Each structure stands twice: as C-alpha cells, then as structure tokens.
Amino acid sequence: MATQQTTSKDDSELSKRQRRLALREINLAAYTNPESPSKAPDSSLKRHTALIKRIRQSMAYENRDQILKELETLTLEKYLDEIVGAISEGVLKCKTDRDVWSAVEVISAFHRRFPKNFTPAVDSSLLAILAPPAKVNAVPGQSAEQKEKEDVARITRQRPVLRICAELGMVGVWRSEDGTKSGGEGVIKLLRDLLSHDPSLSSLPLLITFVKSFARPYLGTNAGEAAAEPTPSEAQVEDHEQGELVERETREKLRRMTENYYDTVSKKLVQAHLKLQEQDRKNHEAYIRSGEIFEDRQQAYEKMTKNYEKLLSSVQSLSEVLSLPMPDLPKESGHSESIILGDQGLSHLGGDDEEWTSTNKWEDEEERRFYEDIIDLKDWVPRSILGIEEEKKDEQAEAETPEKSEDEEKKLEEEMQRLDDKEETATTDDGDDDGASETGSVTPTRSPSPVISTLPAVPEEQQQSAGPAALMTALLARLPDATNRELIDQAAIDFAFLNSKAARKRLIKFMGQIPRERIDIIPYYSRFITTLNKYMPDVGAGVVEMLEDQFRFLQKRKKIVKELENSRAKNVAFLSALTKHRVVPSHLILHIFKVFLDDFNGPNVGNVARLLEGCGRFLLRSEDTKRKMAELLGVMKRKQSLQHFDERQMLMLENAFYQCNPPERGPREVKQRDPMDAFIRHLVYDVLSKKTVDKVLRLLRKLHWEDPQVVHWILKVFTKVWKLRYASISLLAMLACDLKQYHPDFCIALVDQVLEDIRRGLEVNIFKWNQRRIASVKYLAELYNYRFISSNIIFDTLWLLVTFGHPDGRPLPGQPVPIDAPDDFFRVRLVCTILDACGMCFEKGAGAQRLDAFLPFFLMYVHCKEAMPVDVDFMITDTIEALRPKMAMFKTYDEAAAAVNEIFRVQAQKMADGSGVSGYDSDGDDDEERPDVEDEEEDGDRQQEDETQMDRPEEEEAPVLLHQPEPTGPSEEDDAEFAKELAKMISDAGENRKVDRRTAMTMWESTVMPGNLRRRRDSVNLENGKSEPADVMKFTLLSKKGNRPQTHELNVPASSDLATQTHLAQLREQQEQQDLKRLVLDYGQREEEEDVKSLETSIRNRGIRVNYGR
C-alpha cells in the first residue's frame, strides 16, 4: 500500500514537473521575443473594465479560460497598473492547487506579452503582500486576542500568495536579478524575512504550507520522506531533472535553513513545555496553601496551555513534512518536593521554595513574581538586534560555599569602605553647596557619566532617522501609562527593536525626569530597566549612576526640607526598587543606608524609614547582605534610643523597622472540630444568604435533633451571632422563626441565651465585647420583627439598658456608676440599635403607649451623661425623628425628669383606680392567649411593685409566642360583601364578552322584564293571595303593543318538557350561585393570606420593621 502511494506521488510530481518545464520554456523565451496578439487588439474601455473587474473578483479555475480569451483580444498596455492591482486582489481567492495553477497561467500569459512593464510590477505587488509584520507598530492598548486575530488574517492572506510566488519562481516569471538563476533565491529571502521577524511564531503555518506543496522541487524530497545520500549515478540524474527548475545550491541552502529553523522552534517548544510544568506545579502548591486557585493565575495557565498546544501541533506538522524527529519533551521530575498539610500549616520537605513566613524576603508570591520572573528578550527579539553572537548557557551551577561567602562579605566591606572614603572627600565642598542652596538653586549638577561619555558626541538627529525617533517618542509617551506587568514588558520588547546608543541615552535621561508625585510607577520602571539590563548593561549602569548623583546632591541640600521632600522620596523609592531587581549593587545601597545613619536627623529620618520600607526586608534576608544589614539595623536602634525624636518620627521608624523585621509569630493553633459541628458552622456562616435560606432550613431540619450534642452545636451557632456578618443577622432570625414550630424547646433556650448575653455585657462592660453586644441587641430586635418573641421582652430589655446598675433604677447626673461611666455612651448605641430595628412596629396600641413612656426616660438617661459627641447626638436625633417626629426633644435633665415624673404619676393613678393596666402590658395579641387568672396574678404583682417603687418599670417573664389562631371560616362582614363582589365579577365577565351594544340591548330587552311590570305583577299576586297549584308552573309572556310592553300569564303543566327544563335550570342556577358565593369568599380569604405572606417576604428581603396583627 505504501508503495502504491509513493508511486502515485511520484507520478503526480512528474506531471507537475513536465507542466512547469513547458511553461518555463515559453516564459523564458518571452524575455527576448514577447508575444503579440494574432488579431488586431481591441482598445474598448468597456471590455478592459470588465476584464479588470473579473480579475479582481477571482483568478481561480472557473475564470481562467475567459481571462485568457480576453487577454488575446485586448490591447491592455494602457491598463497594466490597474491589472497589477486587480491581480493582487484576485490571487487572494485562490485556495486549491488548481486555482493556484490557473493564477500562474494567467500571470504567465500577461508576462509573455509585457515582460518589461508587467513582470517587475506584479512581482513587487505580490512581494508587498508577503512583507513580514511590522516590528514596533503595535497599538499601545492592543490586547493579545486582537493581535492573534490580526496574525490569523495575515496568514490567511499570505498563504495563497506564497504558493503563487513559489510557482512563478519555477516557471521563469520570477528570477534572479541577473537572469541566470530561477526565483529560488528570492523565495529563500522571502521565507527568511517572514520567519526571522516573528518572535511569536505566527508565520510557522506559512512554512508548513510551503514545505507540503513544494518539498520536491525546492528541497529535493517529497514531503514526509528523508533525503537519502544519492549515488554518483543518481546524483547525475537528479542534477539533470531538478536543476532545470531550482538549482542544487538553492535546494541545499533552503534545506539547511528549514532544518535550523526547526531546531529553533523545537527549543522554544521545550522551553514552553518546562514553563507549563512549572506553572502547573505552582498552581498545585497554591491550591494546597489557600484551598483555591485565583482567577488571574487560572487564566494565565489556560492561556499558556493554549499557546503550548498550538506550538506543539505546528512542530509535529513540521516534523512530519521535513522527516525530522520530534524533540524530547522532559517529563516532570519525580523528586518534587512533598507538601504536608497538618495542624501547623504548611511544611516543606525537600525543594528550594521558602515557606511564606517572616523569614522570607518577599511578602507574598505576587511580589516575588514581579521582581524575579523577568522576561528574556531573546525569546521575543531576534538575536541579531540584541547583538548576541552565541547563545549563552544559563545552566552553570551557582553552588555557594562558606569560603565564597566570606570572600563576598570581605569584598562588600571593601566596596563600602571605598565609598565612605569617596563620600568624605565629597563632603569637603559642603560649604559652597550650602551657599548655592541659599540662593535658591536646587538643580543638581551631575558629573558626566562614564557610561554616557563613551557614546559618540553626535547629535541625535544624525544618529536616528525620523522614523525611529518618532517611534521612540511614542514609546516614552506610553511608559507613564504602563501600570501592569504586561504593558511594561511589551514596552521593553518594543524598545529592544529600537535599540541604539542614542535611544539608550534618551531613555536614561527620561528616567531622570520622572515627576516627583508619580512614585507609583517607579516599580514598573525598575522592571523595565531590569529587563533591558541583561542585554544593555549601560542602561542599568547609567540609571544607577544618575540616582547616585541625585542622592549626593540631596544630601548636600539637607537644609531644604519641604521643597525637596518629594524628590528624596522618589530617589529612595527608585533605589529600593532597583535593589530588589538586583540592578543596584549591594554595597551601594548599604553605603547609602550608612550615610543616612551617620547623620540621623532631619530629612534622613524619613529617608531611613522609606529605605527600610522599600528594600529593608529584602536586604535583611538576602544571603550576601543579611549580616551587614543586621549590623546597620542595630546601629539605627541604638541611635534611636539615644536621640530625641518627635512622636511622628518615632512612629514612622517603628513601623518601618517592624515592616522590615516583623516579630516572630508562632503558628496559629487550629481548633479541632467534629465534622457535624464544622458542617453546621459552614451552613450558617458560609452558605446562609437570601437565596439559600430555604436550603439551609431544610438541611438543619434533617439533622439529628434527638442528639443533645447536635442541639448544643446548633444553639452555639444561633446564639453567637457576632460571628456572623452583620447584614445576615436578619436571615438568622428568620431561620430561628422557621424552626420555632418544629423545636419549641430549642427556641426557648435560644431566647434565654441571647438575653443572658445582653445582661452579661452590661455587667462586665468590656470594650472588646462592644461588637458582640451590638450584634446581640440587633438579633433580639430581629427576632421580634419575625414575631419570635413578644414586645414585653423588647421593652424589658430597653428599660434594663437604661436602669441597670443605677441606684433605685433611676439614673442621676453626677452619680458615679462603675459599670456605666458618665462618658460612656455605648448603652445609648444599644438602645438606638433596638429602636432602629423594631421601633417602627410600635405605632399604635399598647406598644405605642409603652414606647411613649420609655422615650422621655431614655432622654433623661442621656442627659445624665457628659457632653455628647456629635455622632451620638445625630444618632439619637435620627432615631427619635424616625419614631416620633412630633415629639419635643428635652434640652435639659430637669425637663426630661419632669416629663418622666408626670408619666409615672398618671400610671400610678390608673393602677390605683384599676383601669388602664390590661391595655398597657403588651400589644394585645399576647394578652388574648393568656388566661384570666394569670392576668389577675400579674396585675396584683405589678400593683404591689408599683406601690413600693413607682419609678421602676415592670419586669415579667417573657412568653415565647407560638402560632396565632387560624380563621375558622367567613365572617358576617364577608357575607355582607358577597353581593358587591358578585356584581363586580359579573361586570368583569360582561366586559370580556365581545358583543356590540345593539345586540346586548336586544338580548337584555328580550329576556328581562321591565321593572314596572315586575312590580305590578308582584302587587297583583299579593292582592289576590293566590298560590300556584302543585301541578302547574306559571310563566309570564312578555309582548309589545306599539311602544307599550304587555304581560300575559300562562299556566304550563309541571309535567311538560318546558316546565321540567325550566325547573332544572333554576336548580342549576341556585347551585351556581352557592358555588360562586363560596368561591368569592374563599378568594377573599386567600387574598388576605397572600397579603400576609407578601408582607412577611418583604420584611425578610428588605428588613422593613412592621408589626401587624391578625
């Protein structure tokens, strides 16, 4: 089977070769002897326009014959430019081999007639389509998806043009400049330009298409077959056959180029494979550490996987057509570090990654990736632009021995000593500099940089043409907006394409002109410089020297504090960022820190704090600087203890020190919980929301409520409400209300515990419990909103908040209370929290009376305190205005006390008379469920208490409300409204009937007896007093004589069909009326229930505090 396929391929290649040879022979002859039309050509504009339009539409196989026929009969010479433009558009429609060959034949026919004018123009036009993508003309805000779409469109446009150019090179239309060789050299140059200016490998499909289509003529082998070493006889035959289309040198050169390119692509595939494995490993570690993979990390991994799979598919295709082996993709090593998840968090066993604790030089993984994961420009920019002659091998081992570490420390000390000596010599000119500073000159005079001085003293206009200079200006204008890693890395790649001495000099100057207030972009500029520094070291050295000169200048101008404060902050921030990128040498940044400490006062205090915040942690935890940095920190602490600093400077230094060297903290102890306990906490703390209330309720009801331990866990979650989100407290109250009908004992324990927590907070009054106390009273108010508790509990709690701890339950101004200080307004906040949550429910009835009695006492309690803060005053005002807008606000304690005494006097008088007590206890709904004996006992107890202590509010046991009695059936009012509802329904039904007015009146007049006739008939029957016989049914015949209606009595036997049907119709009508009456009443009852349910839903969803009774 393989032999047959090989034979068919050979036959196909042989037929193509013969066809190309024949066409090449006549095309080459046309250079010396152009063809001319056999007949007199037509110069008609209309026919020429039609031909150009046909060529522009398509040069595929279906248009070939017509184009060739028109070509022989037209002059065409005046329209060659239009024809060349039309061909550039028509060749884009050629998709198949037959279409490509048809386009070649058409172009060859034009070439044979106009070899001098047409052929060079069409060659230039086609090569313009195959131009490589622009280097640095990318739009600044262009996304990766947009760039990918543009690359796909470009490949789709260039693929048929490349095949046509390759055919033209073999048939003699496109040949070398001297005319001695075929167009193979041009094809090689074309492919080299496309592939060398494509760091993203987007042009790789073009090479695969070319090799698949032209492997035999251009490479000497069929696609998928290896090139065998020919014997001498075979070599002669091959030279004879293939040398006529493409020269042997060209084939060998193209073969070497494709193999080298395949090696390069294979290396990039291996690198992408390793990066993908590394990213997968990091994702796995992050998932183990935090339990989830963040969205940005997941998106980056998916994008990397997509690019890797695309590259792998392209390399496999190229390997097949070139008959080269696939590269070995290394598998993930089996000795990866093992991560154990235990009680003490994460512990690493093996591997080089450091645990993210205070001993790491990076605060988190994101910061580490920003400063260490720097892109390599050679993966994005051709090596020729970077000036790399040979590939640098990065696999050299960096094993650090103790001896090497000691040598580095000695070298570091020598460098710092040299800088100190240099600084001492430089400070001899301080007097002159100070004199200059007094004149107001604050511009630093920089000494010429040794790096910059090596640049030739040639104007930039002569070094750069207008194009690169404009591109450089645009790039520098984009840099202030490059505030993420992708944009700043893309800017570094764009600068690499513009790399020149003048561009680097201009960049260094730009880095020295950063606005003083734009400190936020300095880390990104530092990453930009670090990316370039690997292949352009003069950039990093120039920027560091510029910053060092600025540092010396600012040190000489220490007397100018405010004007240069931002400049000092920018200088230290830039040096710190470059230090963490390892662009600034370690000895230089340590020397700067030592200079700050030598003169540890004035602006240098802020400089020290900024440097420690910027790179102190990095220096203290790096192997080569940690010993020296620890010594300098010790010097700083000693000077700090000896010198006098103001509070601001002390706080700034302490914050910087602890940010650089945070205190050691032990691992957080994780409490071991039972799985059921953890599940209950997860339901309430994590899952509970407005959309999941019903789901959580169902799961809670399914728990084992017979187990006391499970009930204890549920009670803990329902009572420790401060551990819940404040906005979810109402949802927890809703859950408790739903559980009330299934587990009443649990609900009683819940209310008892909440009240106990509120009372315990009053007894202890610890500041750290304020948040839980606010949550507890809010929870209690929400329980009342859902009719879980009665109003007695709410008012008892309110009176408890304003009287607890005070002698005789009456607060007095100037009276010291240990648990309620005069300057402590937290109880006021608790009262306002309860009233804001459920105060709107007390708008009428006994609840309104009790609230009216409480508010004056509350204002009297407020006036017992010291001067109120503004926020507390506003809070009280807002609460009272929402509840009682017309209530007068008492300005003094005496006014409030007089109002309270009057309220107590009126209440005592009512109790003495035995009136007003029953309606003052509760909202009324609680009293209806309470027996009369209990009422009498409570009234007696309350009267006794009030006689002994008139100013003490009543305290009684808080009943827990269960279900309200359901309505047993329709009331008399419902029956009374039956006629009204029935009439409304009949009216609505009549409106739905589509009957015109005339027909309706006719039907009404024909069936309904006029009112006067009905009354006359009824009066006659009453006067006669006749009763209808049992065997006769009386009918009234309605007729009309003229305009006056007349009636006639008819006695119809009861056994007749008319009487029988009429009687049955009357019975059915009566039954329908009864059914309709029942439906209307049921509808009214259902409507009332739906209103109640909608009100409850509104309370749950929007938190409306409404109290209603049924």
Side-chain angles (χ1 to χ4, degrees), residues 199-483:
S200 61
L201 303 180
S202 60
S203 299
L204 184 56
L206 292 177
L207 179 62
I208 297 175
T209 301
F210 175 80
V211 175
K212 284 183 178 179
S213 303
F214 307 105
R216 190 60 178 265
Y218 277 96
L219 300 179
T221 58
N222 287 328
E225 295 181 1
E229 289 294 334
T231 60
S233 59
E234 291 176 348
Q236 294 176 1
V237 174
E238 191 174 12
D239 288 338
H240 178 70
E241 292 179 354
Q242 297 290 340
E244 297 180 0
L245 292 176
V246 180
E247 295 78 8
R248 174 177 287 276
E249 307 177 348
T250 304
R251 295 200 306 273
E252 292 178 354
K253 186 183 297 184
L254 186 58
R255 180 81 187 185
R256 289 194 300 271
M257 187 189 76
T258 54
E259 290 178 353
N260 293 336
Y261 183 74
Y262 176 76
D263 294 339
T264 303
V265 174
S266 299
K267 291 179 181 179
K268 290 194 174 184
L269 177 64
V270 174
Q271 293 177 0
H273 180 74
L274 294 175
K275 289 182 180 179
L276 185 63
Q277 286 184 343
E278 178 68 17
Q279 186 67 27
D280 182 67
R281 185 182 64 82
K282 291 180 179 179
N283 288 349
H284 177 67
E285 294 176 2
Y287 179 77
I288 292 178
R289 280 197 301 268
S290 59
E292 62 178 344
I293 299 177
F294 296 108
E295 184 177 357
D296 56 346
R297 185 188 291 269
Q298 183 67 22
Q299 291 177 355
Y301 180 74
E302 291 176 357
K303 182 179 179 181
M304 189 181 299
T305 303
K306 179 181 177 181
N307 295 336
Y308 170 75
E309 292 176 352
K310 182 179 178 181
L311 180 59
L312 178 62
S313 176
S314 300
V315 173
Q316 289 176 347
S317 301
L318 192 60
S319 173
E320 292 176 0
V321 298
L322 292 178
S323 301
L324 295 176
M326 279 288 293
D328 295 331
L329 299 178
K331 297 182 179 180
E332 191 172 1
S333 58
H335 57 277
S336 61
E337 60 180 15
S338 60
I339 304 175
I340 298 178
L341 182 63
D343 296 342
Q344 304 301 328
L346 293 174
S347 59
H348 292 254
L349 302 179
D352 297 331
D353 289 345
E354 296 176 344
E355 187 179 357
W356 293 112
T357 62
S358 60
T359 60
N360 193 282
K361 58 186 176 183
W362 307 112
E363 293 184 0
D364 51 25
E365 175 67 14
E366 183 66 24
E367 185 183 15
R368 187 199 66 79
R369 285 190 285 131
F370 181 83
Y371 286 103
E372 290 189 351
D373 294 350
I374 306 298
I375 63 171
D376 195 346
L377 288 178
K378 70 179 181 181
D379 296 336
W380 303 87
V381 182
R383 298 175 182 274
S384 59
I385 296 180
L386 295 176
I388 303 176
E389 299 296 337
E390 297 180 358
E391 184 179 0
K392 298 181 180 180
K393 297 183 179 180
D394 299 330
E395 300 178 356
Q396 299 177 355
E398 298 180 356
E400 297 183 358
T401 59
E403 297 178 358
K404 183 177 179 181
S405 300
E406 294 178 0
D407 295 339
E408 289 182 355
E409 291 179 357
K410 292 180 180 179
K411 183 177 178 181
L412 182 63
E413 293 179 356
E414 292 176 358
E415 291 288 343
M416 291 188 62
Q417 184 64 35
R418 181 181 61 80
L419 288 173
D420 291 341
D421 297 339
K422 182 178 179 181
E423 190 71 22
E424 291 176 0
T425 58
T427 53
T428 56
D429 300 332
D430 281 352
D432 299 337
D433 293 334
D434 293 341
S437 64
E438 293 174 359
T439 62
S441 175
V442 295
T443 304
T445 57
R446 296 180 53 234
S447 60
S449 170
V451 176
I452 299 177
S453 62
T454 58
L455 299 174
V458 181
E460 290 186 9
E461 290 76 13
Q462 299 181 10
Q463 292 186 12
Q464 292 181 323
S465 61
L471 293 175
M472 186 65 187
T473 302
L475 176 62
L476 295 180
R478 281 164 41 200
L479 283 181
D481 297 328
T483 55

Side-chain angles (χ1 to χ4, degrees), residues 72-89:
E72 294 177 355
T73 59
L74 299 176
T75 56
L76 303 175
E77 188 172 1
K78 296 181 180 180
Y79 305 94
L80 290 180
D81 294 338
E82 290 82 355
I83 292 173
V84 169
I87 289 176
S88 300
E89 298 181 16

Side-chain angles (χ1 to χ4, degrees), residues 697-713:
L697 176 63
R698 288 195 300 269
L699 292 175
L700 288 175
R701 288 185 58 194
K702 292 179 181 180
L703 298 179
H704 187 45
W705 285 84
E706 288 74 15
D707 187 357
Q709 185 62 43
V710 174
V711 176
H712 174 69
W713 288 331

Side-chain angles (χ1 to χ4, degrees), residues 954-978:
E954 65 276 12
E955 295 184 4
E956 58 185 4
E957 293 295 328
V960 179
L961 295 181
L962 297 179
H963 284 295
Q964 293 184 357
E966 297 291 340
T968 58
S971 62
E972 294 180 358
E973 296 178 357
D974 296 332
D975 291 335
E977 294 182 357
F978 170 73

